[in-house]
Amino acid sequence: MIKEKREELILGLLCEQSVVSLKEIAGVCDDVSSVTLRRDLVRLEEEGKLTRTRGGAKRLESAKTNVSVSDEAAPGDFDALILPPVKGAWAHTLRQQAIRKGALLVAESAPQLGGVYLGPRNFAEAKKLGVHAAREIRAAGDRAEVLLVALEGLQNTRERLNGFREGFVEEFGGAANFRTVNGRGLLKEVMRQVSDVFDAHPEINVVFGVNDHTILATLELAKRHDLFVSGYSVGGEGGNLFSELASGGSLRAVLALFPEVVGSVAIDSICTVFDGGSIGEEIVTPAQVITADNLDSFYQHEDEVWQIVPDVRQSLEAPFSYKGPGIEGRTIGFMLHYPSHEWYRGLAAAMRRRAAELGATLVTRNAEDEVAEEIRAIKRQIAAAAADLIRPGEALLLDGGECSLYFAEAIKEIGRDLKIYTNALSVLECLADARNLTVYLTGGEYRASTRSLVGPSVGSLLSTIRVDHAVISPDGLSAGFGLSFDDERSALVCGRFCAAARKVLVLADHSVVGLEGSVQAARLTGEHTVITDVGTLSAHRIELSTTGSSVVVADEGGEMSDPEEIGTEQRVGN
């Protein structure tokens, strides 16, 4: 296996998981010695593409991967957000963040609710690639035994696969047999499934991949199985793919999506809006079927790097070019799911270049980190709203959830006379020096993962007290299952907290509402007030209110009401 292939596979693994072992790398690089793989890791570390660990490597999130994951601005502190396809729950959180900040949302590659779509017409363009493939296979007089390597979890990749298949069927005319595997975006899973299919069906002669990593891995496996196949792909993300195409081997054509152009178009389009212009509901970016014969018309190979031909880039960018004044002082956020992925590296480099030319600031962040920061900010809002409902002189029970810790911080800041019982060491430490507060720690078995006391012995204190409010941060909250946890001991503590309280304040951000943990702690009743955020779906809020519990949205604006005064309209929310 050549060096470039090994590099592609190693970096592909690191796109999927932050840390990989040498054994995992050897699993996708068959017949390559561990000595060679270690040399590869040394070289890639020197090139700034990863960091070696004992027995493997970890993903590098630094500027040396051409994507600087930056902390230049606070979470959500931007005027526009470019959001690529990310995990469903993460996408919802980031969309809500943009809405809350009043930022322009640009949905890159796949449509997002409330966003302006930026990308190609995936189905239509992939259909052209299918037509091209069918003509080549038919002209060669070959049968058509087609393997489609899919990524079903994303709309854009589903459209690519369906478009390719429809174009191939319409053009081929004869009988074409299709088999599909879903790699779920995991390189190891792709290689396992494709290898199984090649073992069972050596007659396959056409393969299609929804992106560069997928097709390169599939073609490598075909070589290992001594199969001659014709490969087709969507992407054109980086140099390894173009090198394979130029070699005249198994890769016959790629539908290039030009990340260098898409990045510039994104910035130009956003600046157009900043300047008072309109970009409509979608920005359709160019795509082109590229083969070995026309590759040099679009990309040049210089100093071992493939670069788009300058005249081609200017021509493709021209319809979207922003020609207004500079946009100094404006910040554009770009969320990254896989910072080391070649598509995002190329995209971010183009965005950064164009933003600098126009005076805008580009902030690139890891989507997972941004979501975590946003959820923490929301939890603090929820906790502060709950603290406003507490009257001087009340007695409270606080559990060990993250929201409860933020509630403790808010109570400490307010400085009311209160009596606090808790099973959480973090809450105890937070309130240890607080004035006007009397703090008691329950008994119980110490649980290191949450730094809390759990188990049956917690109940010895609870059986002797009666508090005004239990403040609970559950792992899951739903109308049907109530408050739930992933740990049986934590669920038991929650149930006893609720039983010892006259009222229960349930602190649940939108990432919790609708989920059900493995163990039920308590049913929702009229004694519960759920405090959540605007990101919680209206349907979920309505379902929660049908249990008789009150539902309060902490970040909708306006004054918070006492739980006793909350009416039906407030309970339901928007």
Side-chain angles (χ1 to χ4, degrees):
M1 185 186 297
I2 63 174
K3 178 183 70 176
E4 288 76 13
K5 291 284 188 183
R6 298 195 304 270
E7 177 179 331
E8 180 78 20
L9 293 172
I10 293 169
L11 295 179
L13 278 177
L14 287 172
C15 279
E16 299 161 10
Q17 55 196 72
S18 58
V19 180
V20 296
S21 66
L22 192 65
K23 182 177 179 181
E24 289 175 307
I25 295 171
V28 299
C29 298
D30 288 351
D31 302 322
V32 179
S33 71
S34 59
V35 173
T36 298
L37 293 177
R38 287 192 182 94
R39 289 173 180 167
D40 289 338
L41 295 181
V42 170
R43 185 186 70 259
L44 290 171
E45 183 177 50
E46 291 173 349
E47 294 174 358
K49 295 179 179 179
L50 54 77
T51 298
R52 284 186 298 152
T53 63
R54 183 174 181 179
K58 67 179 181 179
R59 186 169 60 207
L60 186 68
E61 315 286 7
S62 72
K64 290 185 179 180
T65 61
N66 295 329
V67 177
S68 176
V69 180
S70 167
D71 291 321
E72 298 171 36
D77 187 15
F78 39 70
D79 303 296
L81 170 66
I82 302 171
L83 182 60
V86 296
K87 295 178 181 178
W90 292 0
H92 177 68
T93 297
L94 292 171
R95 286 197 302 269
Q96 289 297 324
Q97 181 191 65
I99 292 170
R100 184 162 55 84
K101 296 286 185 177
L104 171 66
L105 177 62
V106 175
E108 184 268 324
S109 289
Q112 299 270 3
L113 184 65
V116 176
Y117 171 67
L118 169 75
R121 299 196 186 282
N122 281 293
F123 182 90
E125 298 295 347
K127 184 175 180 179
K128 295 177 184 177
L129 180 63
V131 169
H132 175 89
R135 287 174 180 168
E136 284 195 338
I137 302 303
R138 188 180 59 194
D142 285 339
R143 67 200 186 285
E145 299 289 341
V146 187
L147 174 62
L148 305 172
V149 187
L151 174 53
E152 297 288 350
L154 298 177
Q155 179 179 339
N156 59 327
T157 51
R158 289 198 304 271
E159 290 178 351
R160 294 173 186 178
L161 184 142
N162 292 333
F164 178 86
R165 177 170 183 159
E166 182 168 308
F168 193 97
V169 169
E170 289 183 3
E171 183 66 23
F172 191 67
N177 297 318
F178 291 87
R179 294 175 180 84
T180 303
V181 299
N182 178 19
R184 298 184 290 111
L186 302 173
L187 185 61
K188 289 187 292 185
E189 185 68 14
V190 167
M191 299 189 75
R192 182 189 66 78
Q193 290 192 40
V194 170
S195 184
D196 289 345
V197 173
F198 283 159
D199 283 336
H201 301 281
E203 68 275 14
I204 287 172
N205 65 325
V206 181
V207 293
F208 168 78
V210 294
N211 55 33
D212 286 16
H213 284 157
T214 296
I215 193 63
L216 289 173
T218 300
L219 294 178
E220 178 64 29
L221 286 169
K223 291 179 182 178
R224 296 182 194 175
H225 286 74
D226 293 325
L227 300 180
F228 179 79
V229 298
S230 295
Y232 303 89
S233 176
V234 179
E237 301 162 1
N240 289 338
L241 187 90
F242 292 133
S243 294
E244 179 69 25
L245 185 63
S247 71
S250 296
L251 183 60
R252 305 298 302 162
V254 58
L255 180 67
L257 301 181
F258 305 108
E260 314 91 333
V261 174
V262 175
S264 294
V265 169
I267 301 301
D268 278 68
S269 300
I270 289 170
C271 289
T272 296
V273 175
F274 287 167
D275 194 37
S278 174
I279 56 176
E281 296 181 354
E282 62 177 10
I283 307 160
V284 180
T285 56
Q288 177 68 45
V289 175
I290 295 181
T291 67
D293 293 334
N294 67 356
L295 175 60
D296 60 359
S297 298
F298 294 91
Y299 284 89
Q300 297 172 334
H301 193 231
E302 297 179 355
D303 299 325
E304 299 185 356
V305 177
W306 288 95
Q307 299 282 356
I308 190 170
V309 175
D311 289 345
V312 170
R313 188 179 73 187
Q314 292 174 10
S315 174
L316 295 177
E317 291 174 353
F320 311 93
S321 180
Y322 170 72
K323 297 180 173 62
I327 311 294
E328 287 78 8
R330 295 296 193 120
T331 301
I332 300 169
F334 178 40
M335 298 301 114
L336 297 160
H337 195 179
Y338 298 122
S340 58
H341 196 291
E342 283 191 286
W343 172 264
Y344 296 120
R345 289 159 59 186
L347 207 61
M351 288 179 185
R352 186 168 288 108
R353 173 187 58 80
R354 188 57 176 150
E357 291 173 355
L358 295 173
T361 299
L362 180 73
V363 176
T364 54
R365 286 230 176 85
N366 184 296
E368 183 174 5
D369 294 339
E370 183 75 9
V371 168
E373 286 295 326
E374 175 68 2
I375 292 294
R376 279 193 283 270
I378 290 170
K379 286 180 176 179
R380 285 191 167 92
Q381 286 184 309
I382 291 171
D388 284 341
L389 301 177
I390 304 302
R391 300 187 182 110
E394 289 188 326
L396 311 175
L397 272 165
L398 270 67
D399 74 355
E402 185 177 10
C403 246
S404 297
L405 175 59
Y406 297 148
F407 175 88
E409 292 173 350
I411 286 292
K412 182 178 180 179
E413 184 70 22
I414 292 173
R416 292 174 182 156
D417 292 327
L418 298 170
K419 186 179 292 185
I420 307 292
Y421 299 88
T422 184
N423 69 324
L425 297 186
S426 58
V427 171
L428 177 67
E429 291 166 352
C430 173
L431 301 178
D433 60 347
R435 299 177 60 184
N436 305 320
L437 295 179
T438 305
V439 185
Y440 301 88
L441 185 66
T442 70
E445 174 191 349
Y446 178 64
R447 187 184 182 201
S449 61
T450 58
R451 301 189 69 235
S452 61
L453 303 175
V454 297
S457 56
V458 174
S460 59
L461 172 65
L462 301 184
S463 63
T464 65
I465 63 172
R466 185 72 164 162
V467 301
D468 297 286
H469 296 284
V471 181
I472 307 294
S473 303
D475 293 335
L477 180 69
S478 69
F481 201 54
L483 288 74
S484 57
F485 290 81
D486 295 325
D487 175 71
E488 182 178 3
R489 293 168 297 176
S490 296
L492 176 63
V493 170
C494 173
R496 291 187 170 178
F497 273 28
C498 292
R502 296 182 179 89
K503 299 286 184 180
V504 179
L505 297 179
V506 184
L507 313 187
D509 66 87
H510 67 263
S511 69
V512 170
V513 177
L515 296 183
E516 295 180 352
S518 56
V519 185
Q520 184 187 70
R523 293 280 186 184
L524 283 170
T525 69
E527 305 305 313
H528 293 77
T529 296
V530 176
I531 303 176
T532 187
D533 63 280
V534 73
T536 296
L537 299 177
S538 295
H540 285 157
R541 287 185 251 168
I542 293 171
E543 289 174 356
L544 293 174
S545 69
T546 62
T547 66
S549 59
S550 302
V551 179
V552 176
V553 179
D555 53 350
E556 272 189 322
E559 295 294 326
M560 289 293 296
S561 301
D562 187 283
E564 300 287 354
E565 301 171 353
I566 294 173
T568 303
E569 184 176 352
Q570 281 181 287
R571 290 180 182 179
V572 172
N574 286 348

